[in-house]
Amino acid sequence: MEKINVKKADGKLGVLVVGVGGAVASTFVVGTLAVRKGLAKPIGSITQLANIRLGKKEENRFPKIKDVVPLADLNDIVFGGWDIFEDNVYEAAKHAEVLEQKDLDGVKDELVAIKPMKAAFLQEYVKRLHGTWVKEAGTKWDMMEQIREDIRNFKAKNNCSRLVVIWAASTEVYIPMSEVHMDLAKFEKAMKENSPEIAPSMLYSYAAISEGVPFINGAPALTVDMPAIWELSKQKNVPICGKDFKTGQTMMKTVLSPMLKTRMLGLSGWFSTNILGNRDGEVLDDPDSFKTKEVSKLSVIDTILEKDLYPELYSNIYHKVRINYYPPRKDNKEGWDNIDIYGWMGYPMQLKVDFLCRDSILAAPLCLDLVLLTDLAQRCGFSGIQKWLSFYFKSPMHTLETQPEHDLFVQYRMLKDKLRNIIGEESVEYID
Amino acid sequence: MEKINVKKADGKLGVLVVGVGGAVASTFVVGTLAVRKGLAKPIGSITQLANIRLGKKEENRFPKIKDVVPLADLNDIVFGGWDIFEDNVYEAAKHAEVLEQKDLDGVKDELVAIKPMKAAFLQEYVKRLHGTWVKEAGTKWDMMEQIREDIRNFKAKNNCSRLVVIWAASTEVYIPMSEVHMDLAKFEKAMKENSPEIAPSMLYSYAAISEGVPFINGAPALTVDMPAIWELSKQKNVPICGKDFKTGQTMMKTVLSPMLKTRMLGLSGWFSTNILGNRDGEVLDDPDSFKTKEVSKLSVIDTILEKDLYPELYSNIYHKVRINYYPPRKDNKEGWDNIDIYGWMGYPMQLKVDFLCRDSILAAPLCLDLVLLTDLAQRCGFSGIQKWLSFYFKSPMHTLETQPEHDLFVQYRMLKDKLRNIIGEESVEYID
Amino acid sequence: MEKINVKKADGKLGVLVVGVGGAVASTFVVGTLAVRKGLAKPIGSITQLANIRLGKKEENRFPKIKDVVPLADLNDIVFGGWDIFEDNVYEAAKHAEVLEQKDLDGVKDELVAIKPMKAAFLQEYVKRLHGTWVKEAGTKWDMMEQIREDIRNFKAKNNCSRLVVIWAASTEVYIPMSEVHMDLAKFEKAMKENSPEIAPSMLYSYAAISEGVPFINGAPALTVDMPAIWELSKQKNVPICGKDFKTGQTMMKTVLSPMLKTRMLGLSGWFSTNILGNRDGEVLDDPDSFKTKEVSKLSVIDTILEKDLYPELYSNIYHKVRINYYPPRKDNKEGWDNIDIYGWMGYPMQLKVDFLCRDSILAAPLCLDLVLLTDLAQRCGFSGIQKWLSFYFKSPMHTLETQPEHDLFVQYRMLKDKLRNIIGEESVEYID
Amino acid sequence: MEKINVKKADGKLGVLVVGVGGAVASTFVVGTLAVRKGLAKPIGSITQLANIRLGKKEENRFPKIKDVVPLADLNDIVFGGWDIFEDNVYEAAKHAEVLEQKDLDGVKDELVAIKPMKAAFLQEYVKRLHGTWVKEAGTKWDMMEQIREDIRNFKAKNNCSRLVVIWAASTEVYIPMSEVHMDLAKFEKAMKENSPEIAPSMLYSYAAISEGVPFINGAPALTVDMPAIWELSKQKNVPICGKDFKTGQTMMKTVLSPMLKTRMLGLSGWFSTNILGNRDGEVLDDPDSFKTKEVSKLSVIDTILEKDLYPELYSNIYHKVRINYYPPRKDNKEGWDNIDIYGWMGYPMQLKVDFLCRDSILAAPLCLDLVLLTDLAQRCGFSGIQKWLSFYFKSPMHTLETQPEHDLFVQYRMLKDKLRNIIGEESVEYID
């Protein structure tokens, strides 16, 4: 194994969040600020809390990740971003109704100071939202250039040594991969010609990568998941990752499916329904946005269960996913799954899971980890798709020739092995 | 790695089931007979259905386990056993109401032919059952000698080359480990003196091992899980394993706990309740039998979550397990779990799992696998505790110096690595 | 109160079922035949099992309804009907997979003898079904005339003294009430002109009533719920009732909503989702058919909760109903409800109901009761909408000037008071 | 119907709460104070929110109850009470963790001013609690005399014209009804002799009634439910009512059981489990206290379903109730019910209800209603058991010769009819 030369994490790390006033983003920002002031615990964050085994089991070396991996210090983070509403992050977080007032109070001044830049937003890509703080531009290319300028200005103004851009904004309408996404030249031409196949999220990703800034996609749209952007990221030597944060129901799926397979239990149907009442729920109430999400959510089970290998168990699965906008619940998403399985001699059984979760509470620590790990990847000189970050995504990016890895525990092993590799340690032979 | 010399699986394999007329045992026997006649599928059985990766991932060698591991052929199995009721297995299976009539019809003749031997049973160890087909003996030692004789007779009469004994009978009252269980000489003396610390299940295990026959413990009692028996099994060069089949709720726990830990989500409480109406439920309605089960079920979460390493996440867990006898449901056990977790900044969330399972349907394939794998272990020359079979047990046996392994996926890896080892293949570096 | 002169139930009662080969209808037919042979119990049937209080409470008169109300005898029923598939009812019941084989065996001969007449079916009104046993006709009017002929033929051939027609077929696409449904002359003209606003179910209702035969509508379509048909039923002196059998989830709603109101607990949201895999589920997978059902299901809560009277409790309810076709479950429908309520000082609470029901098992006894009670109504000389049968319907018919009654217990009281009235007894002052 | 002469509600109404620092009591007090300041809504209170139909339906007279029934004004209430801890109600409410800080802040001064009197408490009757603010007395009789003195002092000091005592304290250990409870003289003797059959709650009830003060029993112990106290209450012309507030799971039972019966659906089993983590849960973790609760909870279903009348439906019900102390949930009780029912031809179905409720939020409005209605009863000259208040209780008091009424809707009708009667209006003929 080749030794990796990791650049030191010197200076400020600018974190630019697309949709910085949204529920997920504001929860991420509030929590990170509170954690570094000692007011809250970064529950859910691997980089901040988890230990990692090093060496042989008998060596009993099991330090905290953050003590051995050269991650950026939370104190070096500077937050910024774009939003379609002008509210500062304090106002936005209050409006999101995710966190209690007392949790905002402790970092109020810092939050008030984070004012979003105008968003690159086009109504037809997120039909249910009506932005009031948006860029004007003649062409999509011009709009992209404005984003690049925003990035450069932010870096200079805040004296950052490095930046990361993370998409935590709403799900755009479904755009299937087509010609213009397959080739960088065509993609650039399409931006200039205002092609409908260029969604605003693509302008952000193109802009960030062009500026040499890593890009994380927390939503299910194409954004960075296309050959044109892969090519650009290789050219610019920039790591990218995505897509769609793996939080509640899909996280459960990537754990329960391996359980069924491990135990050779058959599966005849999986019905998943969700109710949520935040802005994300409202956006997904539009069938075109839902389509994007549905595609992201559906592949998980099939990939894990390998019906070709186990036709008697998994060749006839009826899998359905529904998302329902349901305002009474606000950010407190509820996912209800009914799973029809069968065992010995074909006898049917049922497994039902009701997950009363909180969308933003589950997503926020993923944002923190991904920001820190993508910055690390950049300093390691990695570029293109970061498959080792699959752990964090519903629909992990992969090249056209390979399969995604969905099993949560396999993903976790990949993540830890890469971290060991980065710090010059051997892989270990078991899960730990 | 040392090459293992595996004896061939020549001749008949006698499978002696303690409690052969019970729900689990009769479902195991019916299914196995049906499978070998091509009337049913052995869903849930790793040995019959699962594939195993061999070599490097790129070699793409992924055969069925049963095609590469020298397991006994199902056609070579001869069933027998003991029960406290005189019914043959056909009558017993009808009475258990687990399987539909049509599934019994196909193997009726074979089932009718399996008549239980009289059980070694003592009322005070299973208070809710009233056996009518039981051995008479002056001392526990004498009773044990009768079991040995049964074993020898069965072997001779059925012309078996090898035997396995598996406990699939009811849970006995709680007997904590004490002096008499720590030392073989004391244990033998205690049998002769009718010590109350010697439960009938211990007579079976002592008898089997003395006859050189491997013993599998599907219930939570001590039985083979004590230094006295470990010593005997080493002396006699016999493999043993247990204890308590891991079927429904605990299987879920050994999957969901690793999920929480992997994601660094906190846990404040786990409430598990079960309703079941079969004989097992009736037995566990007695507080003394339940105590045995409770001890078996409770340790799982703590062991997996490592509170010493992660005090901010797992040092204050309220874990409660309840089992309720509820006749309307018969064998169709239902387990309801409420899990109180917390995420980012400490915000609480809830996960609820309702598992409408079937006790015997989940346990039967474990019986089949364990019988085949323990017989394999015997032919490999393994003796004592078979830790690599932890995958199948709620409360995996381990020496006094070591910790049990509870995580289902780690257990699975241990199982497969041992199988690779047996057939002279290398470990692989990832879960598969 | 006027004395009602009830004609005796002499002779045969022909029961013609539209969709006689469907799951609900075949379950109704099988069960009724089994009950009259003493092979099964008519669980769920008020007419067969319930008692009724007569006189003052202290009189302690509490006979079975069937002992005091002059209902038709089950032995006098002759079954027939129409279906879009040619299978006899034995084959149809097997295919429906609702009942076990042993329950069909007992009445096999009778079932085989019930062969459906060709259905009046038009693809565009039930898009997911493809009938193969259907009438050909030049106009809708002509098709209606064929139905009338079927009715006359059946009556003559089976020597029936009376008939009842009951719709137990699939839900047609949504047709809002319009001009042609408001006036009998226009309605007749529309049939002749093949107006798209005339669905096949309307041809059945018009035909039956024209022949002097009562009509029961078990589905949510207009069918008999329009002024044109009301007028006809008054002219012909025929009772009609509907619509949409109240079985699982809606039955729960009409019980839980009164509970909330009685206790003055607030309601902020009610999310209902259903999974079912029978033909009904398949039909409702078509958005146009679902629309018809949705309209039927949505009004229940609002009507019961009277938001005008209790604006602080019920003026802001988010109510959503979803039905999902999910084949693994067949007829075993599952309804999951999440209900967000609030109490003292506005504190939120949640109520979740998971109903693992069986669509046809719940509907079949309603069919039996409705057939007997509608025949009774006819013999009492009642005509038009039978509001006292609201108890059985999701969306009880009512005149344009009045409100429907949805509360299950109020409906039950109405039903019993009418029965008392029919047999010349006083109303009682309490629920019984 | 006789005209009732209702005394006017002049002057102050003292409300003395036993266990005034507990979760239920403090929530009741905080809410009542907040409501009268216009800071909160009395959701859940019939007296404050519900309307009542008067006259014929067509008269359309449907006023608020509080506008036509001469109830005490909330502004005239003065709160006091006893507790085993010295905390004032503000501190107690904070400690109970039921209400948010902002809801306490609005009435902080009033709460701080309510300081409990020392409780009549004996450890052996509530084993899990360890009171520190308790009366000392030579005999139970002397302790009772101290309570009488407390009552007189409170009345004088606060210048009250009337008082009501309400028990909202913990459940005492199970004491079956025996000799000493059957006769007033024996009961008095037993107090003097410190008989173990005299629990502290009986001292409160005897004291209150002796002072001419109505007594409400919100817990399941005997307290006022015995002939000795009935006799006293008749002698003293004082109304009494109880027992055990009907809040979550039992309220559901008294609604779902009537639904099953109304629809003639069979019931084979009902399994109810509860988790709660407040002081009530802790007390009920003691088997002796649980026994008291269990007896109160179990009778509901049988009484409603009348198995003698419907043996084919209800003669073989397995009913089990479990309460589990589960600290992570605090006051947020969760009740999970599994209900096994059967329909047409005996086919089984399942209904599951998960009620994430809040114990004190559901109980508080019952306290308010009961206080106001019992005071009303007193002013009407009613004495002894107030059966018309059955609506509020799990285990409604009734004479030894009569049956309790459990059906929530029948109870509601009884309540409203009594109110109509009090104000000189006729009963109405339907539920409203």
Side-chain angles (χ1 to χ4, degrees), chain C residues 409-426:
Chain C
F409 301 106
V410 177
Q411 291 171 337
Y412 193 48
R413 195 177 152 78
M414 286 162 55
L415 172 63
K416 290 217 172 165
D417 265 359
K418 179 63 85 177
L419 291 177
R420 288 188 196 97
N421 180 221
I422 286 171
I423 60 174
E425 296 275 348
E426 292 290 309

Side-chain angles (χ1 to χ4, degrees), chain B residues 269 322 324 326 329 338 340, chain D residues 269 322 324 326 329 338 340:
Chain B
R322 291 274 207 164
N324 302 282
Y326 181 74
R329 222 29 104 59
N338 169 68
D340 283 283
Chain D
R322 290 274 207 163
N324 302 282
Y326 180 74
R329 220 33 100 61
N338 170 69
D340 282 284

Side-chain angles (χ1 to χ4, degrees), chain B residues 230-250:
Chain B
W230 303 344
E231 191 183 337
L232 182 68
S233 71
K234 284 289 182 186
Q235 277 180 19
K236 300 288 178 179
N237 208 27
V238 169
I240 55 176
C241 62
K243 59 193 187 195
D244 209 4
F245 297 136
K246 177 152 84 173
T247 50
Q249 201 171 50
T250 304

